[in-house]
Every structure is written in structure tokens, then in C-alpha cells.
């Protein structure tokens, strides 16, 4: 494992341990001051965007499904040309109710309505996902950045698999493959053992 990946894993553990000292998690940090959670609502409102790197993210909860351990997920993007430029989805990080990462995954274009970029172009954006922002939590922003460094080769593999799945998928009824709502998650890596 590269030194950068090892350092990123140490940073993930560091962020989690500092939050835990205060009885917090990556989720409780972003829900500070929130009185009620609604499924699919973006947290924080308006998303988080770093104007220097173009990195952007939001979190949303799932409807309460019986037996599901996943509370929701962080959708992570990059805007390489700035806030008014195209938005490219990189990957999502599914977490449990305690903010522990459960999976990394990619989604079909209709899910996030981003501007499509093939695997090579998307993978080239991964090193730019770097959030140096104080809100809603510097520790959560650093945790997300470190997740992308620690798992970069695996995320790149997921993006390549996304393209393979889409190329092989044949939607019914003449629907464009990237708009086929029967295909949501296009690749996934479980992190929960």
C-alpha cells in the first residue's frame, strides 16, 4: 500500500477518534441543529462545495427499510470548471447510523443527473477531490477527502465497472441506458467485512 493511502487511513481514524472524544460521528456533525430528517433531503442544505478544488458533496438518508443497516450515503462530485461548470459524480459512500462506512458505489446517471464522463475522464478527476472547508465540519470534510485517497484504486475500479455494466445493459422500451430507472447502482464494494 502506498504511503499516501496509509496516511489517508490514519487520517480517517484520526477524524473518527477526535469526533468520538466528543461523543460525535461524521453523521452527528452534519446533522447539528437539524430537528427532523427526511429521506432523500440533502444535508447540508445547498451541499458542500470547495471553490478551490471543485469538490462537492451531500448526504441523504434512506427511507427506514426494515433490516437495512445503511442509514444513507455521501454523494461525492467534482466540478472541474468551477461552480457553474459541469458536475461529475465520482462515487458514493454508504454509512450506517453511526457513520461507519459500509460500502463504496457508483450510480447510473439518472440518479444524480450529472454531466456524463466516461471512466477515463472520471478517474482522472479523483485526485482533485479535496475539501478544505470549515463547514459543516472540517473533520467530516477531511474524512471524506481521506476516504477518496485511501480507496482511490478501488474507486477507480468501481468507475470502470460502472462503464462495463452500462455498456452491457439493454433497457426495455427504447430507454437510453443512462436514464433507465431499473438500473440504479452500477458497481459496489462492501467495506463492512
Amino acid at each position: 500500500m502506498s504511503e499516501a493511502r496509509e496516511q489517508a487511513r490514519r487520517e480517517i481514524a484520526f477524524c473518527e477518534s477526535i469526533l468520538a472524544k466528543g461523543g460525535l460521528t461524521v453523521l452527528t456533525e452534519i446533522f447539528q441543529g437539524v430537528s427532523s430528517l427526511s429521506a432523500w433531503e440533502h444535508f447540508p442544505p445547498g451541499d458542500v462545495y470547495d471553490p478551490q478544488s471543485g469538490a462537492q458533496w451531500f448526504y441523504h438518508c434512506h427511507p427506514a427499510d426494515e433490516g437495512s443497516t445503511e442509514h444513507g450515503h455521501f454523494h461525492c462530485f467534482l466540478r472541474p470548471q468551477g461552480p457553474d461548470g459541469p458536475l461529475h459524480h465520482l462515487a458514493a459512500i454508504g454509512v450506517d447510523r453511526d457513520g461507519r462506512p459500509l460500502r463504496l458505489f457508483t450510480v447510473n446517471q439518472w440518479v444524480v443527473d450529472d454531466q456524463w464522463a466516461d471512466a477515463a475522464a472520471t478517474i482522472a478527476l479523483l485526485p482533485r477531490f479535496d475539501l478544505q472547508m470549515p463547514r459543516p465540519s472540517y473533520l467530516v470534510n477531511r474524512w471524506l477527502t481521506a476516504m477518496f485517497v485511501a480507496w482511490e484504486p478501488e474507486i477507480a475500479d468501481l468507475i470502470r465497472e460502472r462503464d462495463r455494466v452500462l455498456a452491457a445493459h439493454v433497457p426495455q422500451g427504447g430507454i437510453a441506458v443512462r436514464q433507465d430507472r431499473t438500473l440504479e447502482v452500477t458497481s459496489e464494494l462492501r467495506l463492512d467485512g
Side-chain angles (χ1 to χ4, degrees):
M1 182 179 302
S2 75
E3 176 58 31
R5 290 181 75 191
E6 287 178 19
Q7 176 58 35
R9 294 200 182 194
R10 287 191 294 270
E11 183 153 345
I12 291 165
F14 173 77
C15 291
E16 290 172 347
S17 70
I18 294 298
L19 289 167
K21 281 183 184 182
L24 303 170
T25 69
V26 294
L27 291 186
T28 58
E29 273 290 273
I30 63 172
F31 295 142
Q32 284 185 22
V34 174
S35 57
S36 66
L37 300 177
S38 299
W40 311 119
E41 183 180 353
H42 287 206
F43 292 97
D47 301 359
V48 174
Y49 174 73
D50 184 326
Q52 186 172 355
S53 68
Q56 181 173 328
W57 68 266
F58 70 82
Y59 181 86
H60 63 200
C61 305
H62 296 173
D65 289 334
E66 194 170 320
S68 175
T69 57
E70 188 169 304
H71 180 270
H73 44 264
F74 293 89
H75 278 286
C76 301
F77 303 86
L78 200 86
R79 289 184 179 273
Q81 297 170 16
D84 299 322
L87 176 71
H88 301 291
H89 188 261
L90 303 176
I93 304 169
V95 297
D96 67 14
R97 65 183 61 258
D98 295 318
R100 290 184 298 258
L102 298 174
R103 67 181 177 139
L104 302 169
F105 63 99
T106 62
V107 295
N108 202 349
Q109 184 182 19
W110 69 266
V111 176
V112 291
D113 196 29
D114 66 337
Q115 181 160 344
W116 182 256
D118 68 12
T122 304
I123 291 166
L125 298 175
L126 291 176
R128 291 186 56 186
F129 187 82
D130 185 9
L131 290 143
Q132 300 283 336
M133 298 298 291
R135 302 276 184 261
S137 164
Y138 182 72
L139 288 172
V140 171
N141 290 331
R142 295 312 306 149
W143 180 86
L144 283 168
T145 298
M147 286 290 292
F148 268 75
V149 175
W151 297 98
E152 185 174 340
E154 291 83 358
I155 293 169
D157 287 344
L158 289 171
I159 294 167
R160 284 188 280 274
E161 179 64 15
R162 174 201 72 180
D163 282 14
R164 284 191 290 272
V165 166
L166 291 170
H169 183 70
V170 180
Q172 295 184 0
I175 299 169
V177 68
R178 294 194 310 260
Q179 297 306 313
D180 185 354
R181 293 183 179 268
T182 67
L183 179 59
E184 182 175 352
V185 174
T186 53
S187 62
E188 173 182 64
L189 173 66
R190 301 297 304 183
L191 301 177
D192 58 345

